Amino acid sequence: RENFIHLCNPHLEKMEEDILYHFALGTGTHDFPALFGDVKFVCVGGSPSRMKAFITYIAEELGLGSPGYEYPNICAGTDRYAMYKVGPVLSVSHGMGIPSISIMLHELIKLLHHAKCSNVTIIRIGTSGGIGLEPGSVVITRQSVDATFKPQFEQVILGKTVIRSTDLDEQLAKELMQCSKEINQFNTVIGNTMCTLDFYEGQGRLDGAICLYTEEEKLRYLKEAYESGVRNIEMESSVFAAMCNLSGVKAAVVCVTLLNRLKGDQISSSHEVLVEYQQRPQRLVGYFIKKCLGKV
């Protein structure tokens, strides 16, 4: 069954042209079905360089392209986001935090709709702070929760508070977990992910420019988070889950933990170790895509 992208916006039907400003793309200047119509997998992550590295990696894994090929940035007309494509895989950067990924997702979802894409899976790959996990562990998100551990995304629209669900596709999470068991290269768990509005105070760190709570209060909060099912903390998953839900897109969040927040706040691992950690979600998602395409 063909599952097309659902747009929750009747106003778009009245527009003669849709300009995706932050992608430097538009329906009047680009042939979306020709450029993107074959996309089945979209991987998004914060860093442009990481998403460029991912498209190079997935091209090699799928046997597409040639070694050393420099993949062009489809969004080269803007410095907001970067986008790369090989075969049925699109790789897009989203910046840091809910506002940045929200803007990107609005335009990405419209892009997929205009391209008439169907049966698309979107996966966020990234880094996070772990709770009660050894650094380098990978967390597949069951549901995103806010800083009070509620599975919801709250936004003020036209002066009114709107609350949306942050559940993620349960079957997709199980499939990704099975893939991790098959490659058997690192510890992987399914757990809740806490999405915050800030890297420092919002995540209970003691090392920001401002901190008006004690270490005991911090540890009490993080232990409460762990007891509620939270296994990692990042800053994008709630709006990602909410928007994918509304658009009828299968979605997952796969993040590696760079540290155990119960043991400290600063990331002290060497550059080489961190680079290897950051490749773990890429390897897991790469294997999943290969398996879906029958290339395993």
Side-chain angles (χ1 to χ4, degrees), residues 65-83:
S66 54
Y69 178 70
E70 190 76 12
Y71 291 90
N73 176 11
I74 298 169
C75 297
T78 176
D79 59 0
R80 295 295 182 188
Y81 304 105
M83 179 187 295

Side-chain angles (χ1 to χ4, degrees), residues 226-243:
Y226 183 88
E227 289 166 4
S228 76
V230 172
R231 293 297 176 267
N232 64 333
I233 311 172
E234 47 84 272
M235 296 189 292
E236 292 87 19
S237 60
S238 61
V239 72
F240 174 81
M243 291 182 69

Side-chain angles (χ1 to χ4, degrees), residues 24-121:
L25 299 171
T27 55
T29 53
H30 297 79
D31 186 341
F32 281 47
L35 288 169
F36 306 107
D38 61 340
V39 169
K40 297 296 180 186
F41 305 95
V42 183
C43 295
V44 303
S47 160
S49 61
R50 194 183 306 152
M51 301 323 293
K52 184 177 182 180
F54 177 75
I55 209 68
T56 302
Y57 171 75
I58 200 67
E60 293 172 357
E61 289 293 295
L62 297 179
L64 302 172
S66 54
Y69 178 70
E70 190 76 12
Y71 291 90
N73 176 11
I74 298 169
C75 297
T78 176
D79 59 0
R80 295 295 182 188
Y81 304 105
M83 179 187 295
Y84 305 93
K85 182 181 182 297
V86 63
V89 183
L90 197 64
S91 177
V92 192
S93 71
H94 59 59
M96 187 180 292
I98 287 173
S100 184
I101 192 174
S102 170
I103 294 167
M104 188 281 290
L105 285 170
H106 273 283
E107 299 189 12
L108 173 65
I109 290 165
K110 292 197 296 177
L111 179 154
L112 296 171
H113 172 77
H114 293 317
K116 298 179 171 57
C117 294
S118 64
N119 303 329
V120 176
T121 298

Side-chain angles (χ1 to χ4, degrees), residues 3-256:
N3 180 28
F4 292 95
I5 306 297
H6 174 64
L7 289 186
C8 299
N9 184 358
H11 305 290
L12 292 174
E13 297 175 9
K14 304 171 187 175
M15 294 168 51
E16 293 183 8
E17 179 183 5
D18 190 3
I19 298 170
L20 309 186
Y21 172 73
H22 301 89
F23 283 168
L25 299 171
T27 55
T29 53
H30 297 79
D31 186 341
F32 281 47
L35 288 169
F36 306 107
D38 61 340
V39 169
K40 297 296 180 186
F41 305 95
V42 183
C43 295
V44 303
S47 160
S49 61
R50 194 183 306 152
M51 301 323 293
K52 184 177 182 180
F54 177 75
I55 209 68
T56 302
Y57 171 75
I58 200 67
E60 293 172 357
E61 289 293 295
L62 297 179
L64 302 172
S66 54
Y69 178 70
E70 190 76 12
Y71 291 90
N73 176 11
I74 298 169
C75 297
T78 176
D79 59 0
R80 295 295 182 188
Y81 304 105
M83 179 187 295
Y84 305 93
K85 182 181 182 297
V86 63
V89 183
L90 197 64
S91 177
V92 192
S93 71
H94 59 59
M96 187 180 292
I98 287 173
S100 184
I101 192 174
S102 170
I103 294 167
M104 188 281 290
L105 285 170
H106 273 283
E107 299 189 12
L108 173 65
I109 290 165
K110 292 197 296 177
L111 179 154
L112 296 171
H113 172 77
H114 293 317
K116 298 179 171 57
C117 294
S118 64
N119 303 329
V120 176
T121 298
I122 304 181
I123 303 177
R124 164 166 146 68
I125 54 177
T127 58
S128 62
I131 302 182
L133 296 173
E134 285 302 306
S137 299
V138 170
V139 179
I140 301 167
T141 304
R142 176 181 290 110
Q143 59 182 188
S144 176
V145 301
D146 64 16
T148 65
F149 320 140
K150 294 176 183 176
Q152 63 184 37
F153 171 62
E154 184 176 307
Q155 184 175 10
V156 176
I157 301 173
L158 300 182
K160 298 177 182 178
T161 299
V162 176
I163 294 176
R164 291 171 175 165
S165 166
T166 54
D167 287 340
L168 287 152
D169 192 280
E170 186 177 355
Q171 182 58 35
L172 178 56
K174 289 179 179 178
E175 291 173 13
L176 286 162
M177 188 67 192
Q178 179 58 34
C179 286
S180 184
K181 290 177 181 177
E182 290 173 17
I183 60 178
N184 193 29
Q185 294 177 359
F186 39 78
N187 178 46
T188 303
V189 301
I190 293 178
N192 291 347
T193 295
M194 182 163 72
C195 183
T196 66
L197 302 178
D198 164 54
F199 184 81
Y200 287 98
E201 290 180 284
Q203 297 187 13
R205 278 182 161 84
L206 302 175
D207 58 343
I210 300 169
C211 180
L212 303 177
Y213 44 82
T214 67
E215 183 173 7
E216 290 73 20
E217 288 172 324
K218 165 213 161 173
L219 287 173
R220 190 182 311 126
Y221 175 68
L222 293 181
K223 287 174 182 176
E224 286 176 8
Y226 183 88
E227 289 166 4
S228 76
V230 172
R231 293 297 176 267
N232 64 333
I233 311 172
E234 47 84 272
M235 296 189 292
E236 292 87 19
S237 60
S238 61
V239 72
F240 174 81
M243 291 182 69
C244 288
N245 277 338
L246 285 170
S247 304
V249 182
K250 279 204 306 183
V253 177
V254 180
C255 289
V256 69

